[in-house]
Amino acid sequence: MDLTLKIWRQKNSSSKGKFETYKVNDVSPDSSFFEMLDTLNQQIIEKGNDPVAFDHDCREGICGTCSLYINGRPHGPKRGITTCQLHMRSFKNGDTIVVEPWRAKPFPLVKDLIVDRSALDLIIQAGGYVSVNTGGIPDANAIPIPKMNADLAMDAASCIGCGACVASCANASAMLFVGAKVSQLALLPQGKIEAANRVQKMVAEMDRLGFGNCSNTYACEAECPKEIKVTNIARMNRQFMKAKVCAEKHEAASFGG
Amino acid sequence: MGLFGLFLAMFLLVHLTINLLLLCNDGGELFTAASSFMGTNIAIKIFEYVLFGGFFIHIIIGVIITLKNWASRPVGYLVANKSHTSFFSKYMFYTGAIIFIFLILHFMHFFFIKIGWVQVPAGLEKHDFYKMAIALFTNKLYSLVYIAFFIFLGFHLNHAIQSGFQTLGLNHNKYNCTIKRVSLIYSLLVAGGFSLVPIYFMFFF
């Protein structure tokens, strides 16, 4: 396959970026998208230039490190996969592929295609955990959990925090991410105890960081590599409103011990 | 915004019912009775302020949220998003803006006349909404513009109802499909129902 690539190049966060056009020839349809980018980088390095910087780690769709907005879709044209699981057979010989970084105010650009997604970590730090005291391990059967809740919590927990939901959303909203992180705990008995406090803190942090608001276009669900459902957003909204109306006021409500 | 939106959607049903009375071939007797009840009943008069409040809050929150959303992506993409989303959901702000223009036009033709902000058209009385409606709907250009606006209201409502439920967290796997169907039926009912009146006056009056 012979391809033309239009890639966003930007030296650092303060410099001005622009699209550069590259040609890559003899690409195997069975190679992965990243192998194709590795080939391109090899060509660039051999010419003595700076290779294209992009995020990647596990290259098997489990770590959530890779990103890339490819031809108008986060993680490329296939449903339910990350960029590292994308293969060149998804494109045609002679195609022009436009590769852009995730674009959102809370994701400042670091270099080329790499953005800083630590805003998502800050939301987790605001309350996306369960305060567990140390002690003896309780019997597994001592806390009955309905199978459906266990399954829904597991589905929500499959979020790898890649940020594709933010990248695809017309409003750069992180509500699918936060909805999943709220749901994975709120659906289980251990997480219910701090549920009201958690949802308020995580939503407040999301707003503070400058993410947009959900207008229910559901692009996030369409692009999530783990196919997380927008019902998690509805659950978060429900819990948030319930917490705002019913939860008692805490003096310096805090987690942990 | 969702809560006020759903409230306004409910009001449309009341308005539609009264409008459909124009189709009764009784010289406007029923329509005049209904509109004078709406104009004189104290409870309805109080509710009028609640309704204006609903419109105001829905529009203001909508504009504020949209501006905040636009600010959340200061640098846009070169290739526009190609994700599979519902078509109408992407244009809610714009369909809303079109409906707002109609709302001003509508107020100028009826409500502002009633409260004295706009002069009463020649040959008509201040509270004679039946004759005012006939004068407008027998004008073919106005009727076509009216229908066009209600088509946009239909587009807006098609997404709005289900979106309102989702925003309020009223989501249940037993009822999600029903909510989507109700959204579609309601938008068709409102757009079609309101459009029936100008169609009647254009072709059958």
Side-chain angles (χ1 to χ4, degrees), chain B residues 158-188:
Chain B
N158 180 274
H159 177 70
I161 310 282
Q162 50 175 309
S163 182
F165 276 86
Q166 166 83 2
T167 301
L168 296 173
L170 300 172
N171 177 292
H172 194 287
N173 60 6
K174 253 190 206 172
Y175 309 113
N176 288 347
C177 276
T178 311
I179 291 169
K180 278 191 181 170
R181 275 191 210 124
V182 167
S183 254
L184 178 67
I185 294 165
Y186 196 80
S187 61
L188 288 172

Side-chain angles (χ1 to χ4, degrees), chain A residues 19 69 71-72 98 100-101 103-105 166-169 171-172 210-213 215-219 222-223 230-231 233-234 237-238 241, chain B residues 65 68-69 71-86 89-90 159 162-164 166-171 173 176 180:
Chain A
F19 281 96
Y69 186 85
N71 284 350
V98 183
E100 301 175 68
R103 296 286 192 195
K105 192 179 158 199
V166 180
S168 63
C169 177
N171 315 321
F211 287 102
N213 304 278
S215 55
N216 304 324
T217 65
Y218 307 143
E223 297 302 347
V230 291
T231 46
I233 298 180
N237 291 345
R238 195 160 59 236
M241 269 184 278
Chain B
I65 287 179
K68 272 179 76 179
N69 288 346
S72 297
R73 180 166 289 132
V75 182
Y77 291 112
L78 177 73
V79 182
N81 189 278
K82 288 178 185 163
S83 307
H84 300 295
T85 57
S86 77
S89 68
K90 288 190 276 191
H159 177 70
Q162 50 175 309
S163 182
Q166 166 83 2
T167 301
L168 296 173
L170 300 172
N171 177 292
N173 60 6
N176 288 347
K180 278 191 181 170

